[in-house]
Each structure stands twice: as structure tokens, then as C-alpha cells.
Amino acid sequence: PYPYHDDPRWPHKTQVMRLDCSYDLVVDNLLDLTHLAYVHRRTIGGNPDAHMRAEMHVDATPNGVHFIRWLLNSIPPPTYVAGAGFTGRVDRWMDFEFVAPGTVIQHTGALDVNTGARIDGDPYGGKREGGFALRILHCVTPETEHSCHYFWSAANGYRQDEPAATEQLFAQIDATFREDEGILASQYARIRQQPDPPLMNLNSDRARVLAHQALRRALAAETQSAAAD
């Protein structure tokens, strides 16, 4: 169930893409946001230093992982400025939940700095109206071992009565994911050149690591159930 597709207060548009990589690499890309400042600098990226200093709170869930990433007192990226008209610094949040095997629910946005986006004692709490807000549903399913289908929708949480704003947002997000498409295809081709390539987990990979653990639990349960049948 995804209520924002039925909520007229959140106008949205949908898209589907075929990607030349495994489905779990798409999930990895969504859960490690350190690439935003470099790959998506023309849209949702933002300042690299702000991403380096981002505060992150991560929680394992029964079926995946939930995390929020804060870029406090940061320069808003181009998509945020175009959408909400920011003229100064913002407090920016990135709230993501992964549900195994291939769903990521995203709520991101920003408010003018020190206007209540974040509250003490609750990393997920705070004001969410009055600035820039965006909800994206990401659903990934394998096509083959080495390719997948990527279904996504982008819902507009600002200027919601302006169809042109929703069209502008969709164009920005579609351009962003087209950048991911090229990066993921190149990355996956490089990974396939070496069996079991040596990979390293950094602090920013904690959500991704918990997601892989959830996937392994789900696969083990499915295998056990199949064996019992």
C-alpha cells in the first residue's frame, strides 16, 4: 500500500526504466547517498562538504532498514531552489526506508535554516511543511541476473496546486535517474570483470549493510519454506 498515489494533495507522475545491472545494485545506490553531490550536482546534489558532514541515524527493521540523513545549515541544491525559491541556507533531510526485497520509500526536503525541520530527541521528527518536500516510491524487480526494471513515482509536496511545478519536478528527477542509469551500468560492468571483487564498507554504507542482511534473512526463510514443501 502506498497512500500518496491516492492523495490529491500529493500530485505525482510515474516512470519505468530498464537498467543494465542487478536489482540489488539499484538498492545499494539508493541507500548510499554520498554520491549525490558528484553525480547529481545539477539537480538534487548539493555541496560535497555538506554531504561529507551529514548526520545519519540508522535503524534496522524486521524487513529492512530505516534511516534519516541530515544536512543542516547547507546550501540548497538547484532542484530545491527552483521548486521552493530558497534564497539562503536550509536544513535538509533525507528519510529513506528499505523494505526487502526491492522497495525503497523516500521522503526528502528542506526548510529555511532554524525554522523547525529538526527537533531535539527525535531524529525523524520535525516540521515538514512550508519549504521543499518530495516523496518518491522506488520499486525494483529483476529482469535477468544482470538486468532489472526500475519503477518509480515522484510526488510533489510544494506548490501542489500548480501542475507546472509537478511537471518541473518530474523532469528534474527523471534527469537525475538517467544519470544514475549510466553510472550503474558502468559500475556493474566493472564489477562483473572480476569474480567476487574486493568491496569495502564505509560508515556511510551502514544502511546498505543492514539491507543486505535483511535480504539474506528473506532468502533463507524462502529457501527453508521451499524445502519444507
Side-chain angles (χ1 to χ4, degrees):
Y2 188 68
Y4 298 99
H5 280 174
D6 301 314
D7 189 339
R9 296 171 299 174
W10 286 84
H12 71 279
K13 294 192 69 174
T14 64
Q15 180 65 284
V16 59
M17 302 165 61
R18 180 191 175 279
L19 303 180
D20 288 317
C21 67
S22 62
Y23 83 97
D24 56 329
L25 190 61
V26 181
V27 173
D28 286 355
N29 181 69
L30 292 167
L31 299 185
D32 179 3
L33 302 179
T34 56
H35 73 282
L36 293 188
Y38 304 98
V39 179
H40 307 311
R41 59 185 178 83
R42 294 176 295 182
T43 54
I44 63 171
N47 183 273
D49 290 338
H51 283 276
M52 182 182 68
R53 297 192 305 270
E55 299 179 25
M56 193 163 173
H57 184 91
V58 184
D59 293 295
T61 65
N63 298 315
V65 62
H66 186 195
F67 73 89
I68 191 165
R69 194 166 178 262
W70 285 98
L71 275 64
L72 300 173
N73 193 21
S74 63
I75 300 170
T79 297
Y80 286 41
V81 173
F86 292 118
T87 59
R89 289 178 173 265
V90 299
D91 289 332
R92 182 179 174 190
W93 70 87
M94 305 171 186
D95 188 331
F96 282 66
E97 182 177 3
F98 166 71
V99 182
T103 300
V104 176
I105 303 166
Q106 172 185 348
H107 181 198
T108 54
L111 292 174
D112 287 317
V113 68
N114 296 325
T115 57
R118 184 181 182 183
I119 58 176
D120 293 337
D122 181 2
Y124 297 102
K127 182 181 175 183
R128 294 292 180 268
E129 297 82 25
F132 180 90
L134 163 67
R135 292 186 182 273
I136 304 182
L137 176 66
H138 311 263
C139 298
V140 193
T141 189
E143 178 190 50
T144 70
E145 182 181 358
H146 304 300
S147 62
C148 64
H149 296 290
Y150 178 26
F151 302 85
W152 59 268
S153 75
N156 171 14
Y158 62 95
R159 296 164 52 200
Q160 291 159 303
D161 296 328
E162 299 180 35
T166 301
E167 293 291 340
Q168 179 190 57
L169 173 66
F170 179 81
Q172 294 266 308
I173 300 305
D174 188 65
T176 296
F177 292 163
R178 298 296 170 183
E179 292 172 332
D180 280 324
E181 180 181 16
I183 293 291
L184 288 168
S186 296
Q187 185 180 29
Y188 191 66
R190 185 70 181 92
I191 289 172
R192 290 189 66 195
Q193 289 179 1
Q194 181 177 354
D196 299 320
L199 300 176
M200 179 181 296
N201 292 320
L202 307 177
N203 288 336
S204 58
D205 291 318
R206 187 179 176 204
R208 189 191 67 79
V209 170
L210 291 173
H212 278 248
Q213 291 175 355
L215 277 172
R216 286 196 293 270
R217 290 196 303 270
L219 285 168
E222 186 176 276
T223 301
Q224 185 177 13
S225 176
D229 292 341

